[in-house]
Amino acid sequence: FPVTIRLVRAVNIVSYYNNTNLIDFVTKTFYEKLGVKHVTVSQDKHNMVRIDVNNQYVAYIFKQIFKCGFDGKRLPSFFNRLPYESVVSFLSGLTSSDGCVNSDRNIQIQLTNPPLMTDIFYLARSVGISATLTFMNKEGCKATGRMNIPSHILSGKIKKVYKDDRISLGQEKTASKIS
């Protein structure tokens, strides 16, 4: 059988455009701590900023720590030693990129990687955040984890907020399909 080796050439970090502190921190840190000058910052039509760190050695290290491809991603063990404020910052960034916050400040993160969702859930609980986690398995679809986080935990830290009722409407659709 032929063996294919996939060379990872870059690290991609995504943030909402108004999270300038994170964008500046990432570009500055990669340059100052690792000497990486090849950092590209671009913005799409949804105001998401993609930061590409174009260095195969840094990409290799990130792949070893964080894994490659969404299905294989897990939290590295050092996350379990993060203090409360760092976990809150991580959850706010995750919510800004992969979660939903509606006008009522309901916060929900939903990912099709149950092991990663379990890691994130236990991380939140380890610092006293009363998150809840539900797994959904629909035939023909990937298993999905849905985590709810109390809104006061991430208050003022979320960078992307929807001005509609997409969470409550989604829950109503799900409830009507079940009944």
Side-chain angles (χ1 to χ4, degrees):
F1 294 95
V3 176
T4 303
I5 298 174
R6 184 174 168 220
L7 181 63
V8 180
R9 297 185 185 274
V11 174
N12 311 110
I13 300 169
V14 179
S15 174
Y16 199 55
Y17 80 99
N18 65 353
N19 195 351
T20 55
N21 288 340
L22 174 68
I23 297 164
D24 293 343
F25 171 79
V26 169
T27 55
K28 180 181 174 185
T29 301
F30 273 101
Y31 178 70
E32 289 180 357
K33 302 294 183 191
L34 300 172
V36 177
K37 298 176 186 178
H38 305 289
V39 177
T40 308
V41 179
S42 59
Q43 184 173 328
D44 69 13
K45 65 181 180 180
H46 303 289
N47 291 320
M48 296 304 290
V49 172
R50 178 175 158 157
I51 306 165
D52 295 315
V53 180
N54 301 302
N55 183 296
Q56 68 184 18
Y57 302 110
V58 171
Y60 176 80
I61 292 167
F62 266 67
K63 179 181 177 184
Q64 296 306 306
I65 295 171
F66 297 105
K67 307 301 176 223
C68 191
F70 182 70
D71 289 338
K73 282 200 177 13
R74 298 293 300 266
L75 291 185
S77 61
F78 74 83
F79 269 53
N80 296 319
R81 295 185 300 276
L82 293 176
Y84 177 86
E85 278 304 314
S86 295
V87 172
V88 169
S89 293
F90 168 72
L91 292 172
S92 66
L94 185 61
T95 301
S96 293
S97 63
D98 291 314
C100 291
V101 180
N102 69 8
S103 58
D104 294 329
R105 307 299 291 174
N106 294 315
I107 298 172
Q108 189 174 83
I109 299 169
Q110 184 169 309
L111 301 173
T112 57
N113 181 335
L116 178 60
M117 285 301 296
T118 301
D119 289 351
I120 296 166
F121 171 73
Y122 284 118
L123 175 66
R125 297 299 294 251
S126 75
V127 294
I129 298 172
S130 60
T132 61
L133 179 62
T134 305
F135 291 105
M136 298 159 289
N137 292 302
K138 184 178 177 184
E139 191 173 323
C141 297
K142 287 178 121 181
T144 301
R146 178 184 293 158
M147 187 167 83
N148 293 297
I149 303 168
S151 61
H152 71 278
I153 300 293
L154 304 181
S155 181
K157 291 188 175 267
I158 304 296
K159 300 297 182 183
K160 183 178 181 182
V161 178
Y162 294 101
K163 307 251 187 253
D164 59 26
D165 292 326
R166 66 186 65 209
I167 292 176
S168 57
L169 291 174
Q171 289 172 339
E172 288 172 13
K173 285 181 187 177
T174 303
S176 65
K177 287 180 185 178
I178 295 171
S179 43

